[in-house]
Amino acid sequence: MSYTQHSVGSGSRTARRTFEFGRTYVVRPKGRHQATIVWLHGLGDNGSSWSQPLECLPLPNIKWICPTAPTRSVALLGGYSCTAWFDAGELSEDGPDDWEGLDASAAHIANLLSTEPADVKVGIGGFSMGAAMALYSATCCVLGRYGNGNPYPVNLRAVVGLSGWLPGSRGLKNKVERSHEAARRAASLPILLLHGTGDDVVQHKYGEKSANSLTMAGFRTLTFKSYDGLGHYTVPREMDEVSNWLTTRLGVGGSRT
């Protein structure tokens, strides 16, 4: 499925950029539909590569939506074009954040969840840049708005990030503390972060620093777990952790009834 998202910059830019998202893959629940998770792929990947392993998880009551990011130039790759949720230059707090790209992708993801039934719990997860996008969406949910000030329309119930980092961490604590409602949401939003100590693409220290930034900003229901020697990929025991955590946090049973 193709989808075109228009986004207005948050002050530094006045031009409008058009982002054309790729195909979206959907894994239907095999049992009773209790939750929907949008799962986001990493840099240069697509939704198809995650739809198959997610279908094999022992979570028959979860519907998985796996979109594909737009193809764009990425500074981290020297300007090479590939699928990316936003433009990334460096993984540090001092690096510039592509607010326009972040907001466009966050809006596209929220749009995919906005049509789910009211009694279905919704969440976002992802790997690498997809995890970064999931965490940015979590901050939008807590603050009640995107970076450009437009209202965020979805009430997330769970966020999962594998081998990722937190974009836009500068000033997050101050933004959350300025609003009692944001502080309440931050304290109650469950987040699971998993990261390998042997990751040479998104180093473990960035995942750990992101977890610390979120905790300091008031995200109290956050779990950060390290996997000794794990590189920039997933392993069965890590996905088992995701399955068990989602089952507990979302109250989705393992049965199909």
Side-chain angles (χ1 to χ4, degrees), residues 159-162 190-194 222-225 241-242 245:
V159 175
V160 178
L162 310 181
I191 298 178
L192 175 67
L193 300 180
L194 307 177
L222 183 148
T223 300
F224 179 78
K225 183 173 181 179
E241 182 85 21
V242 171
W245 187 84

Side-chain angles (χ1 to χ4, degrees), residues 202-218:
V202 180
Q203 294 181 31
H204 179 267
K205 66 179 181 180
Y206 293 122
E208 194 169 38
K209 191 170 186 177
S210 296
N212 290 337
S213 295
L214 288 164
T215 300
M216 289 180 63

Side-chain angles (χ1 to χ4, degrees), residues 220-239:
R220 299 174 187 169
T221 319
L222 183 148
T223 300
F224 179 78
K225 183 173 181 179
S226 302
Y227 285 81
D228 189 34
L230 180 66
H232 197 64
Y233 49 85
T234 61
V235 290
R237 71 179 185 276
E238 188 180 27
M239 297 312 294

Side-chain angles (χ1 to χ4, degrees), residues 136-156:
Y136 180 72
S137 295
T139 65
C140 292
C141 174
V142 162
L143 296 172
R145 64 184 186 276
Y146 299 103
N148 60 21
N150 292 336
Y152 187 81
V154 179
N155 179 28
L156 299 177

